[in-house]
Amino acid sequence: MKQLKMFSHFQLSTIAWLLLHFLDCSYQTTYGNFFPSVPGELTGQSFPVTLKTNASSDLVIVKCPAPQYKHTKTNDRFVQNEKLRDMDIFYYTADKTFAWAPMLYNSSGPSFMHCGTFFIKKVKTSGSDEYEWTYNLNWESQPDPIQVAEPQTISTKIDMISNKCGTIETNVVVYHKNKENGMQKFNIEDKITAHVNDLYYHFKKPGSNDGMEVKVPCGIARAVNEPPKLLIKGLTSTPIIFKDLQIYVIKQKQSLGSYSIELSMGDGASTPDFYKGEEVKMKKMMYTRTGIEEIPSSNEVITSSFSTQGYQLLKFSYNCPTIVGSKMISRIFYLGPESENYVFPNENTIYLSNETAIQPNCSLQRITFGYLDSVTVSGVTTNLNDLMDDGAIKNNLKRVKDFIFMMDAKEDKVTLECFYITPNGNLTLVQTFIKGKKVFIGLNDRGEEIYDVKSNDDIRKEYEKNKELETQNKSLLSKLKSKIGPIGAYAVIIIIALVAFTIILVVGILLYKKFLKEWIAKKKLLKKNKGDPKVAGKKKAVN
């Protein structure tokens, strides 16, 4: 009985102590004891305060004073960092005594936080002592949030993380950092716009009596969604089947172009840009008789736009995160000509008949989006299957590795039609091979001879042109010599000179008789009259 009374007395004492403690807390006016790392008596060496965490998360929240905070005296005053306050990332306790703010891991050193300015009123003099309330936070090991994050289907709303943060949504605050490390604060019921692999850090809302200075997330959600479709933006594609593979054909007016790859969520998606900016692997492919093969060392990583040089067969792949892991999605596109029976414009190739490296030929590897099926020369078509690698000749054609050569071309000009099968039709490459000669064109800077290969037609045309220029630049005598010989040329010139002299002489005589002779006669008469003057008043004698 005595023991029972003693136990009852102990219970009452405990209840009374707890009640007194509760009443003391209810009327508490200073809160310095809620910052174990901050000394009660502040000095110039008190800040920054160094904190530590062993969190696997790269984001934690730390406790800062709020406007109602009093450190050790009721007249203490705290002014928050305006930049942080305007960002609206503080979570305030109900009594506005504490404000919790997110801090990010800094790989190059401690993470720094400036909560604001703390003012302590001086006792014996006017004014206040000012202290910048700052933290240096060190992670004991490098965090890896992806490893602890829980994949969650997120589009426009955040869901609770099951069995980690409780079931009451109003007791959780969520932080998110974007790709530029900008911070955002959400409540569970807030509307968001998610992007793939976005991390959402869930924290249980700290209470006013929480004595911790650093809190780690109760859970991290990683945003995933339905796998997207790979599209080339703005272009219509038509699927075809080849060897159990689906190829999407896009017909192009030009062989060169710039395009944009799109990870599409489909029309009407609530988050159409969920996969925007993600890295997509692009690889060039080769279309063969037996299937589609990857071209080695042709990988390229793109995030949006890409360019092509010529028609291409391309494979795009994206490693898509899902709830249960990663899923590789891919699609093959054929960017080909508009016509399904396309004929390339004729190409002329000048070659030396005695040079074995370049002879009239069709290449098996000339294009990657089709395989060589046959060669046509002068209307005679030879299938590739009829030309073996053993060197056998058929229709004057011979296969040597990846080339079909024409043997012993007699004509100066021969045309080959190389016929290729493409994913949605065929393509003909017309090539005219013209025999040529090596022509000396001069010396380079080192004094070495430079040669060019020109066709016989070009050489003949150039010769005729030079001859014409030479003829134009010749003198009359040279032209006559080249036509009638030296003697004839001189004879013609002498005759022309005599004729010209005779004409000049005759003209001179005629001019003399008509004009000069009459003028001389008049002049003589005038002189005679001047030499015989008349006598005034003298009469003529009469016989």
Side-chain angles (χ1 to χ4, degrees):
M1 188 70 178
K2 185 177 180 181
Q3 290 179 343
L4 182 60
K5 287 182 178 180
M6 290 178 65
F7 180 72
S8 299
H9 178 72
F10 175 76
Q11 281 185 318
L12 291 172
S13 299
T14 302
I15 292 171
W17 181 85
L18 290 172
L19 182 60
L20 289 172
H21 182 72
F22 174 76
L23 291 172
D24 181 60
C25 290
S26 300
Y27 293 96
Q28 185 170 354
T29 55
T30 60
Y31 305 91
N33 58 316
F34 287 97
F35 288 97
S37 301
V38 180
E41 294 294 329
L42 300 181
T43 67
Q45 304 300 318
S46 298
F47 296 101
V49 173
T50 299
L51 303 174
K52 292 183 179 181
T53 181
N54 60 356
S56 298
S57 169
D58 61 342
L59 186 149
V60 297
I61 56 175
V62 296
K63 183 163 57 179
C64 288
Q68 299 301 320
Y69 177 76
K70 313 297 179 185
H71 191 58
T72 57
K73 298 176 183 178
T74 57
N75 57 1
D76 292 342
R77 185 166 62 93
F78 184 78
V79 177
Q80 286 183 295
N81 181 339
E82 289 186 6
K83 184 177 179 180
L84 293 180
R85 185 187 63 198
D86 294 343
M87 290 170 62
D88 191 27
I89 58 174
F90 281 120
Y91 166 71
Y92 296 94
T93 55
D95 56 5
K96 299 290 184 180
T97 301
F98 304 109
W100 293 80
M103 285 188 76
L104 282 171
Y105 171 73
N106 181 13
S107 60
S108 60
S111 299
F112 180 77
M113 168 72 75
H114 179 212
C115 294
T117 306
F118 186 63
F119 298 88
I120 298 178
K121 191 173 182 180
K122 295 179 180 180
V123 178
K124 296 182 180 180
T125 59
S126 61
S128 301
D129 292 323
E130 297 182 16
Y131 301 93
E132 300 302 322
W133 197 294
T134 56
Y135 294 122
N136 280 329
L137 178 61
N138 292 305
W139 266 257
E140 294 180 351
S141 59
Q142 184 173 344
D144 190 0
I146 294 294
Q147 294 299 319
V148 296
E150 179 179 314
Q152 192 178 90
T153 301
I154 300 175
S155 293
T156 59
K157 188 180 182 302
I158 308 169
D159 291 327
M160 292 287 288
I161 298 179
S162 58
N163 303 323
K164 291 185 178 180
C165 301
T167 58
I168 303 175
E169 294 183 354
T170 55
N171 287 347
V172 175
V173 61
V174 180
Y175 285 95
H176 164 64
K177 64 170 182 175
N178 57 30
K179 290 186 176 181
E180 292 76 31
N181 283 337
M183 300 302 304
Q184 292 176 290
K185 182 188 70 176
F186 299 103
N187 291 316
I188 291 293
E189 65 272 12
D190 289 342
K191 187 175 181 179
I192 63 168
T193 301
H195 184 272
V196 64
N197 285 327
D198 277 353
L199 296 180
Y200 294 89
Y201 301 81
H202 294 232
F203 293 87
K204 291 182 179 179
K205 292 180 178 179
S208 298
N209 296 325
D210 197 313
M212 298 181 67
E213 293 169 302
V214 179
K215 294 188 80 67
V216 300
C218 57
I220 304 174
R222 179 166 61 93
V224 297
N225 216 312
E226 293 295 321
K229 290 182 179 179
L230 281 158
L231 302 176
I232 294 182
K233 195 172 183 178
L235 298 179
T236 302
S237 61
T238 304
I240 60 173
I241 303 297
F242 173 72
K243 303 289 185 182
D244 295 328
L245 285 175
Q246 201 166 38
I247 301 174
Y248 289 82
V249 178
I250 297 177
K251 296 181 178 181
Q252 295 292 284
K253 291 182 179 180
Q254 297 179 343
S255 60
L256 307 179
S258 296
Y259 310 93
S260 294
I261 194 71
E262 181 182 10
L263 293 165
S264 174
M265 292 289 288
D267 296 336
S270 57
T271 51
D273 295 332
F274 188 82
Y275 292 99
K276 186 177 181 180
E278 285 294 285
E279 290 186 346
V280 176
K281 183 185 292 185
M282 182 177 74
K283 180 182 281 288
K284 294 179 181 179
M285 309 296 288
M286 181 175 291
Y287 188 76
T288 70
R289 289 178 183 272
T290 56
I292 295 176
E293 301 175 1
E294 295 183 352
I295 298 177
S297 303
S298 65
N299 280 358
E300 186 177 344
V301 176
I302 60 175
T303 55
S304 57
S305 61
F306 66 96
S307 299
T308 59
Q309 301 290 329
Y311 300 120
Q312 298 281 348
L313 188 65
L314 301 171
K315 180 180 180 180
F316 297 90
S317 303
Y318 173 64
N319 195 19
C320 181
T322 68
I323 291 289
V324 294
S326 296
K327 178 182 179 181
M328 183 64 71
I329 60 172
S330 61
R331 183 168 283 192
I332 298 173
F333 289 94
Y334 169 46
L335 299 170
E338 280 190 307
S339 173
E340 295 180 0
N341 305 296
Y342 186 72
V343 179
F344 265 107
N346 183 50
E347 293 182 354
N348 290 337
T349 302
I350 301 174
Y351 72 101
L352 297 174
S353 57
N354 60 347
E355 187 175 336
T356 58
I358 302 177
Q359 293 292 313
N361 71 86
C362 286
S363 172
L364 275 69
Q365 307 293 340
R366 178 63 184 271
I367 61 175
T368 59
F369 54 90
Y371 59 85
L372 184 64
D373 184 68
S374 64
V375 179
T376 300
V377 184
S378 301
V380 178
T381 299
T382 305
N383 290 324
L384 187 66
N385 291 334
D386 297 333
L387 297 170
M388 303 302 175
D389 283 334
D390 57 6
I393 298 175
K394 183 174 182 178
N395 297 332
N396 206 27
L397 296 174
K398 178 181 178 180
R399 179 172 179 175
V400 180
K401 295 183 179 179
D402 291 334
F403 293 90
I404 306 299
F405 286 102
M406 184 177 181
M407 310 304 295
D408 301 325
K410 304 299 183 183
E411 299 84 1
D412 287 345
K413 183 185 295 185
V414 62
T415 299
L416 276 65
E417 297 178 11
C418 310
F419 186 79
Y420 296 85
I421 301 297
T422 61
N424 68 329
N426 57 74
L427 179 145
T428 303
L429 184 63
V430 182
Q431 298 183 100
T432 298
F433 291 86
I434 304 170
K435 287 183 179 180
K437 293 181 180 179
K438 188 181 288 187
V439 179
F440 174 75
I441 60 174
L443 301 175
N444 60 18
D445 296 338
R446 297 187 296 272
E448 299 170 341
E449 294 182 347
I450 303 174
Y451 290 89
D452 193 10
V453 178
K454 295 184 178 181
S455 67
N456 293 333
D457 287 343
D458 290 339
I459 294 172
R460 185 175 62 255
K461 289 177 182 178
E462 188 173 340
Y463 173 77
E464 291 176 354
K465 183 178 180 181
N466 292 335
K467 189 175 180 181
E468 183 179 348
L469 290 173
E470 184 181 348
T471 301
Q472 292 175 355
N473 294 330
K474 281 183 178 180
S475 64
L476 177 62
L477 180 60
S478 299
K479 292 179 181 179
L480 289 172
K481 284 182 179 180
S482 62
K483 288 185 177 181
I484 59 177
I487 297 175
Y490 285 117
V492 169
I493 290 174
I494 291 171
I495 292 171
I496 292 173
L498 290 173
V499 170
F501 177 75
T502 303
I503 292 172
I504 293 171
L505 183 62
V506 171
V507 171
I509 293 172
L510 292 174
L511 290 173
Y512 172 77
K513 287 183 176 182
K514 186 173 183 179
F515 300 105
L516 189 60
K517 186 177 181 181
E518 184 178 350
W519 178 78
I520 292 172
K522 287 182 178 180
K523 196 167 184 179
K524 286 182 177 181
L525 182 61
L526 183 62
K527 285 183 178 181
K528 184 178 180 181
N529 291 335
K530 285 183 178 181
D532 189 17
K534 293 181 179 181
V535 180
K538 188 177 180 179
K539 293 183 180 180
K540 188 177 179 181
V542 179
N543 293 326

